[in-house]
Amino acid sequence: MPVNYSGTWDIVDNHNFEGYMVALGIDFATRKIAGMLKPQKIFEQDGDSFTIKTLTTFRNYSSSFKIGEEFEEITKGLDNRKCQTTVNWDNDRLVCIQKGEKKNRGWTHWMEGDTLYLELTCEDQICKQTYKRSA
Ligand code: YOG
């Protein structure tokens, strides 16, 4: 039985989001706005089927996938690239690989109690985010 990430999670820490955005080629003005945001993650999980919504006052992003099934991800409203994306379990961790123009792109989520962790990677940059369960 996989763990269940379902719920609402509020960001409490965001380390090197700036470096991650630079690696994605996000322009200065957008980075300054984005760096102020306090994203909320809404996870909807039914076994191996997921929707992850990232909500902010500036832009929202949503991704739906099934574990192990590659899909075309368009990072609309983010860096607007096309990726061939696959998410797999690594024990209880969710490990995403986003193949495309950017090398070494992906993310990993894991949970410890009411804390949700996210590491976002692009090229040589790693952004480390921490969320606390709010619902
Ligand atoms: O989530 O990969 O949980 O899809 C990365 C933002 C800022 C827009 C968000 C809006 C990268 C301007 C993580 C931020 C910066 C800056 C919130 C999305 C790009 C543009 C929408 C992500 C995964 C893992 C699930």
Side-chain angles (χ1 to χ4, degrees):
M1 267 291 279
V3 291
N4 192 350
Y5 284 81
S6 295
T8 300
W9 305 86
D10 295 338
I11 200 161
V12 293
D13 197 49
N14 195 356
H15 178 262
N16 197 37
F17 189 46
E18 170 72 10
Y20 176 73
M21 289 193 287
V22 169
L24 284 175
I26 306 301
D27 69 80
F28 180 87
T30 306
R31 294 202 311 271
K32 293 308 122 186
I33 297 167
M36 302 284 291
L37 300 172
K38 299 291 177 199
Q40 190 175 56
K41 295 276 182 189
I42 315 277
F43 272 72
E44 296 164 4
Q45 180 185 352
D46 179 5
D48 276 357
S49 295
F50 285 81
T51 295
I52 305 177
K53 294 173 184 160
T54 306
L55 305 181
T56 76
T57 53
F58 178 51
R59 278 178 205 160
N60 299 323
Y61 185 69
S62 179
S63 178
S64 296
F65 55 85
K66 285 188 181 147
I67 295 295
E69 294 187 8
E70 186 175 88
F71 64 101
E72 182 175 280
E73 179 176 21
I74 297 174
T75 58
K76 188 173 159 54
L78 306 179
D79 60 317
N80 298 300
R81 285 191 176 86
K82 195 182 286 186
C83 300
Q84 295 303 317
T85 298
T86 311
V87 184
N88 278 295
W89 292 114
D90 173 11
N91 295 303
D92 287 343
R93 293 185 181 219
L94 285 174
V95 178
C96 174
I97 295 174
Q98 294 166 308
K99 287 188 286 179
E101 182 186 340
K102 291 291 178 182
K103 298 302 169 204
N104 195 35
R105 182 171 186 174
W107 52 257
T108 299
H109 270 293
W110 70 99
M111 255 185 338
E112 287 171 16
D114 278 345
T115 305
L116 173 74
Y117 295 95
L118 171 61
E119 286 189 4
L120 295 153
T121 303
C122 182
E123 298 184 326
D124 62 345
Q125 297 297 311
I126 304 177
C127 168
K128 299 186 182 199
Q129 300 185 339
T130 307
Y131 294 79
K132 291 288 181 192
R133 191 186 282 282
S134 65

